[in-house]
Amino acid sequence: MERTFLMIKPDGVQRNLVGEIIRRFEAKGFTLVGLKMLQVSQELAQQHYDVHKERPFFDSLVQFIISAPVVAMVWEGDGVVGASRNIIGATNPLTAAPGTIRGDLAVSIGRNIIHGSDAIETAQREIALWFKDEELTTWNPTIKPWLYE
Ligand code: IDP
Ligand code: MG
């Protein structure tokens, strides 16, 4: 089944929003299959944001991600990659729709509390970058017939 990589950034952790954020994905009906808290190395942060390495905000973004612990997660479900992006909302929290995580809980682009993979291939790359195989679980929630027809 489809999987995505989500990371609660240092601001989300510091603002005590870990539970609030996880709650939204659980309540939606997605399945948590991997979870860890870590202080990110500069190398991992640079690799994660490699696509942005020429952008002017790259250095400050990497510095921010390594400045304090983050919560890294893998979630599973039909369409979870795109749906998670919708739950997260637009990159700029001021234009993110109300009801989204960024729309409800943040005010600035450099403090937008959560990362989510932007495509299935990106998700595969990011999951492999952040998690070892043995850190991921496969389990079958008994409520599945109540979530999927
Ligand atoms: P995304 O997180 O919504 O996928 P991206 O464009 O992939 O957004 O940018 C990655 C992260 O880089 C953003 O979440 C944000 O924290 C930061 N960022 C993006 N654009 C800017 C900017 O113009 N100024 C400062 N930080 C930015
Ligand atoms: Mg992105």
PDB file of all heavy atoms in Angstrom, residues 79-103:
ATOM      1  N   GLY A  79      -3.732   6.547  -1.356  1.00  0.00           N
ATOM      2  CA  GLY A  79      -3.642   7.976  -1.659  1.00  0.00           C
ATOM      3  C   GLY A  79      -3.019   8.823  -0.576  1.00  0.00           C
ATOM      4  O   GLY A  79      -3.207  10.047  -0.549  1.00  0.00           O
ATOM      5  N   VAL A  80      -2.242   8.195   0.313  1.00  0.00           N
ATOM      6  CA  VAL A  80      -1.742   8.924   1.492  1.00  0.00           C
ATOM      7  C   VAL A  80      -0.781  10.062   1.139  1.00  0.00           C
ATOM      8  O   VAL A  80      -0.723  11.064   1.857  1.00  0.00           O
ATOM      9  CB  VAL A  80      -1.096   7.941   2.507  1.00  0.00           C
ATOM     10  CG1 VAL A  80       0.204   7.358   1.975  1.00  0.00           C
ATOM     11  CG2 VAL A  80      -0.880   8.605   3.857  1.00  0.00           C
ATOM     12  N   VAL A  81      -0.049   9.945   0.031  1.00  0.00           N
ATOM     13  CA  VAL A  81       0.926  10.994  -0.307  1.00  0.00           C
ATOM     14  C   VAL A  81       0.198  12.308  -0.607  1.00  0.00           C
ATOM     15  O   VAL A  81       0.453  13.343   0.026  1.00  0.00           O
ATOM     16  CB  VAL A  81       1.819  10.572  -1.502  1.00  0.00           C
ATOM     17  CG1 VAL A  81       2.709  11.723  -1.934  1.00  0.00           C
ATOM     18  CG2 VAL A  81       2.672   9.364  -1.135  1.00  0.00           C
ATOM     19  N   GLY A  82      -0.723  12.266  -1.553  1.00  0.00           N
ATOM     20  CA  GLY A  82      -1.447  13.490  -1.938  1.00  0.00           C
ATOM     21  C   GLY A  82      -2.361  13.993  -0.835  1.00  0.00           C
ATOM     22  O   GLY A  82      -2.444  15.200  -0.578  1.00  0.00           O
ATOM     23  N   ALA A  83      -3.047  13.066  -0.178  1.00  0.00           N
ATOM     24  CA  ALA A  83      -3.975  13.468   0.888  1.00  0.00           C
ATOM     25  C   ALA A  83      -3.224  14.132   2.039  1.00  0.00           C
ATOM     26  O   ALA A  83      -3.713  15.103   2.633  1.00  0.00           O
ATOM     27  CB  ALA A  83      -4.751  12.256   1.391  1.00  0.00           C
ATOM     28  N   SER A  84      -2.026  13.648   2.345  1.00  0.00           N
ATOM     29  CA  SER A  84      -1.248  14.259   3.423  1.00  0.00           C
ATOM     30  C   SER A  84      -0.831  15.678   3.069  1.00  0.00           C
ATOM     31  O   SER A  84      -0.837  16.568   3.922  1.00  0.00           O
ATOM     32  CB  SER A  84      -0.006  13.425   3.733  1.00  0.00           C
ATOM     33  OG  SER A  84      -0.392  12.171   4.246  1.00  0.00           O
ATOM     34  N   ARG A  85      -0.474  15.893   1.818  1.00  0.00           N
ATOM     35  CA  ARG A  85      -0.147  17.257   1.384  1.00  0.00           C
ATOM     36  C   ARG A  85      -1.349  18.174   1.582  1.00  0.00           C
ATOM     37  O   ARG A  85      -1.200  19.331   1.966  1.00  0.00           O
ATOM     38  CB  ARG A  85       0.288  17.261  -0.081  1.00  0.00           C
ATOM     39  CG  ARG A  85       1.591  16.538  -0.361  1.00  0.00           C
ATOM     40  CD  ARG A  85       2.804  17.337   0.004  1.00  0.00           C
ATOM     41  NE  ARG A  85       2.995  18.488  -0.880  1.00  0.00           N
ATOM     42  CZ  ARG A  85       4.059  19.284  -0.829  1.00  0.00           C
ATOM     43  NH1 ARG A  85       5.030  19.063   0.052  1.00  0.00           N
ATOM     44  NH2 ARG A  85       4.171  20.305  -1.648  1.00  0.00           N
ATOM     45  N   ASN A  86      -2.556  17.649   1.309  1.00  0.00           N
ATOM     46  CA  ASN A  86      -3.763  18.458   1.510  1.00  0.00           C
ATOM     47  C   ASN A  86      -4.010  18.721   2.992  1.00  0.00           C
ATOM     48  O   ASN A  86      -4.451  19.811   3.366  1.00  0.00           O
ATOM     49  CB  ASN A  86      -4.971  17.764   0.891  1.00  0.00           C
ATOM     50  CG  ASN A  86      -4.907  17.757  -0.622  1.00  0.00           C
ATOM     51  OD1 ASN A  86      -4.249  18.611  -1.220  1.00  0.00           O
ATOM     52  ND2 ASN A  86      -5.562  16.795  -1.244  1.00  0.00           N
ATOM     53  N   ILE A  87      -3.764  17.718   3.830  1.00  0.00           N
ATOM     54  CA  ILE A  87      -3.943  17.891   5.280  1.00  0.00           C
ATOM     55  C   ILE A  87      -2.929  18.911   5.812  1.00  0.00           C
ATOM     56  O   ILE A  87      -3.236  19.703   6.699  1.00  0.00           O
ATOM     57  CB  ILE A  87      -3.792  16.527   5.999  1.00  0.00           C
ATOM     58  CG1 ILE A  87      -4.977  15.624   5.654  1.00  0.00           C
ATOM     59  CG2 ILE A  87      -3.662  16.701   7.514  1.00  0.00           C
ATOM     60  CD1 ILE A  87      -4.793  14.165   6.061  1.00  0.00           C
ATOM     61  N   ILE A  88      -1.724  18.908   5.245  1.00  0.00           N
ATOM     62  CA  ILE A  88      -0.664  19.827   5.678  1.00  0.00           C
ATOM     63  C   ILE A  88      -0.951  21.258   5.210  1.00  0.00           C
ATOM     64  O   ILE A  88      -0.772  22.206   5.966  1.00  0.00           O
ATOM     65  CB  ILE A  88       0.711  19.352   5.152  1.00  0.00           C
ATOM     66  CG1 ILE A  88       1.129  18.081   5.903  1.00  0.00           C
ATOM     67  CG2 ILE A  88       1.765  20.442   5.253  1.00  0.00           C
ATOM     68  CD1 ILE A  88       2.327  17.358   5.303  1.00  0.00           C
ATOM     69  N   GLY A  89      -1.370  21.409   3.967  1.00  0.00           N
ATOM     70  CA  GLY A  89      -1.673  22.742   3.440  1.00  0.00           C
ATOM     71  C   GLY A  89      -0.499  23.370   2.709  1.00  0.00           C
ATOM     72  O   GLY A  89       0.609  22.838   2.682  1.00  0.00           O
ATOM     73  N   ALA A  90      -0.745  24.547   2.139  1.00  0.00           N
ATOM     74  CA  ALA A  90       0.243  25.243   1.307  1.00  0.00           C
ATOM     75  C   ALA A  90       1.493  25.595   2.114  1.00  0.00           C
ATOM     76  O   ALA A  90       1.438  25.754   3.333  1.00  0.00           O
ATOM     77  CB  ALA A  90      -0.371  26.504   0.716  1.00  0.00           C
ATOM     78  N   THR A  91       2.616  25.740   1.382  1.00  0.00           N
ATOM     79  CA  THR A  91       3.912  25.998   2.015  1.00  0.00           C
ATOM     80  C   THR A  91       3.881  27.250   2.898  1.00  0.00           C
ATOM     81  O   THR A  91       4.428  27.253   3.995  1.00  0.00           O
ATOM     82  CB  THR A  91       5.001  26.156   0.926  1.00  0.00           C
ATOM     83  OG1 THR A  91       4.971  24.994   0.088  1.00  0.00           O
ATOM     84  CG2 THR A  91       6.376  26.301   1.539  1.00  0.00           C
ATOM     85  N   ASN A  92       3.236  28.299   2.399  1.00  0.00           N
ATOM     86  CA  ASN A  92       3.118  29.536   3.189  1.00  0.00           C
ATOM     87  C   ASN A  92       1.877  29.457   4.090  1.00  0.00           C
ATOM     88  O   ASN A  92       0.750  29.476   3.594  1.00  0.00           O
ATOM     89  CB  ASN A  92       3.015  30.741   2.256  1.00  0.00           C
ATOM     90  CG  ASN A  92       2.973  32.049   3.035  1.00  0.00           C
ATOM     91  OD1 ASN A  92       2.772  32.061   4.256  1.00  0.00           O
ATOM     92  ND2 ASN A  92       3.164  33.146   2.331  1.00  0.00           N
ATOM     93  N   PRO A  93       2.069  29.381   5.388  1.00  0.00           N
ATOM     94  CA  PRO A  93       0.924  29.216   6.303  1.00  0.00           C
ATOM     95  C   PRO A  93      -0.105  30.337   6.210  1.00  0.00           C
ATOM     96  O   PRO A  93      -1.269  30.127   6.543  1.00  0.00           O
ATOM     97  CB  PRO A  93       1.578  29.201   7.691  1.00  0.00           C
ATOM     98  CG  PRO A  93       2.967  28.732   7.436  1.00  0.00           C
ATOM     99  CD  PRO A  93       3.350  29.335   6.107  1.00  0.00           C
ATOM    100  N   LEU A  94       0.330  31.519   5.752  1.00  0.00           N
ATOM    101  CA  LEU A  94      -0.627  32.629   5.663  1.00  0.00           C
ATOM    102  C   LEU A  94      -1.611  32.437   4.523  1.00  0.00           C
ATOM    103  O   LEU A  94      -2.709  32.996   4.546  1.00  0.00           O
ATOM    104  CB  LEU A  94       0.107  33.964   5.502  1.00  0.00           C
ATOM    105  CG  LEU A  94       0.900  34.421   6.721  1.00  0.00           C
ATOM    106  CD1 LEU A  94       1.555  35.765   6.440  1.00  0.00           C
ATOM    107  CD2 LEU A  94       0.017  34.507   7.965  1.00  0.00           C
ATOM    108  N   THR A  95      -1.230  31.639   3.522  1.00  0.00           N
ATOM    109  CA  THR A  95      -2.159  31.368   2.429  1.00  0.00           C
ATOM    110  C   THR A  95      -2.694  29.936   2.486  1.00  0.00           C
ATOM    111  O   THR A  95      -3.558  29.571   1.698  1.00  0.00           O
ATOM    112  CB  THR A  95      -1.492  31.632   1.058  1.00  0.00           C
ATOM    113  OG1 THR A  95      -0.272  30.899   0.999  1.00  0.00           O
ATOM    114  CG2 THR A  95      -1.194  33.098   0.860  1.00  0.00           C
ATOM    115  N   ALA A  96      -2.182  29.135   3.404  1.00  0.00           N
ATOM    116  CA  ALA A  96      -2.697  27.768   3.574  1.00  0.00           C
ATOM    117  C   ALA A  96      -4.155  27.833   4.041  1.00  0.00           C
ATOM    118  O   ALA A  96      -4.512  28.683   4.866  1.00  0.00           O
ATOM    119  CB  ALA A  96      -1.838  27.018   4.589  1.00  0.00           C
ATOM    120  N   ALA A  97      -4.968  26.946   3.506  1.00  0.00           N
ATOM    121  CA  ALA A  97      -6.404  26.982   3.815  1.00  0.00           C
ATOM    122  C   ALA A  97      -6.659  26.668   5.290  1.00  0.00           C
ATOM    123  O   ALA A  97      -5.988  25.804   5.879  1.00  0.00           O
ATOM    124  CB  ALA A  97      -7.131  25.973   2.941  1.00  0.00           C
ATOM    125  N   PRO A  98      -7.636  27.375   5.887  1.00  0.00           N
ATOM    126  CA  PRO A  98      -8.079  26.989   7.228  1.00  0.00           C
ATOM    127  C   PRO A  98      -8.515  25.525   7.219  1.00  0.00           C
ATOM    128  O   PRO A  98      -9.079  25.053   6.225  1.00  0.00           O
ATOM    129  CB  PRO A  98      -9.276  27.914   7.487  1.00  0.00           C
ATOM    130  CG  PRO A  98      -9.084  29.072   6.573  1.00  0.00           C
ATOM    131  CD  PRO A  98      -8.386  28.524   5.351  1.00  0.00           C
ATOM    132  N   GLY A  99      -8.242  24.818   8.291  1.00  0.00           N
ATOM    133  CA  GLY A  99      -8.545  23.388   8.329  1.00  0.00           C
ATOM    134  C   GLY A  99      -7.317  22.547   8.059  1.00  0.00           C
ATOM    135  O   GLY A  99      -7.262  21.382   8.449  1.00  0.00           O
ATOM    136  N   THR A 100      -6.315  23.145   7.389  1.00  0.00           N
ATOM    137  CA  THR A 100      -5.051  22.430   7.197  1.00  0.00           C
ATOM    138  C   THR A 100      -4.156  22.680   8.409  1.00  0.00           C
ATOM    139  O   THR A 100      -4.377  23.624   9.179  1.00  0.00           O
ATOM    140  CB  THR A 100      -4.326  22.905   5.916  1.00  0.00           C
ATOM    141  OG1 THR A 100      -3.950  24.290   6.064  1.00  0.00           O
ATOM    142  CG2 THR A 100      -5.218  22.750   4.694  1.00  0.00           C
ATOM    143  N   ILE A 101      -3.125  21.850   8.560  1.00  0.00           N
ATOM    144  CA  ILE A 101      -2.205  22.002   9.694  1.00  0.00           C
ATOM    145  C   ILE A 101      -1.539  23.375   9.654  1.00  0.00           C
ATOM    146  O   ILE A 101      -1.543  24.121  10.636  1.00  0.00           O
ATOM    147  CB  ILE A 101      -1.160  20.868   9.693  1.00  0.00           C
ATOM    148  CG1 ILE A 101      -1.851  19.536  10.031  1.00  0.00           C
ATOM    149  CG2 ILE A 101      -0.024  21.160  10.668  1.00  0.00           C
ATOM    150  CD1 ILE A 101      -0.970  18.310   9.821  1.00  0.00           C
ATOM    151  N   ARG A 102      -0.971  23.722   8.497  1.00  0.00           N
ATOM    152  CA  ARG A 102      -0.287  25.016   8.400  1.00  0.00           C
ATOM    153  C   ARG A 102      -1.277  26.176   8.455  1.00  0.00           C
ATOM    154  O   ARG A 102      -0.991  27.225   9.036  1.00  0.00           O
ATOM    155  CB  ARG A 102       0.545  25.076   7.116  1.00  0.00           C
ATOM    156  CG  ARG A 102       1.783  24.171   7.164  1.00  0.00           C
ATOM    157  CD  ARG A 102       2.409  24.036   5.786  1.00  0.00           C
ATOM    158  NE  ARG A 102       3.675  23.309   5.791  1.00  0.00           N
ATOM    159  CZ  ARG A 102       4.277  22.876   4.687  1.00  0.00           C
ATOM    160  NH1 ARG A 102       3.710  23.085   3.498  1.00  0.00           N
ATOM    161  NH2 ARG A 102       5.421  22.223   4.771  1.00  0.00           N
ATOM    162  N   GLY A 103      -2.447  25.987   7.872  1.00  0.00           N
ATOM    163  CA  GLY A 103      -3.470  27.034   7.889  1.00  0.00           C
ATOM    164  C   GLY A 103      -3.998  27.305   9.285  1.00  0.00           C
ATOM    165  O   GLY A 103      -4.334  28.439   9.626  1.00  0.00           O
TER     166      GLY A 103
END
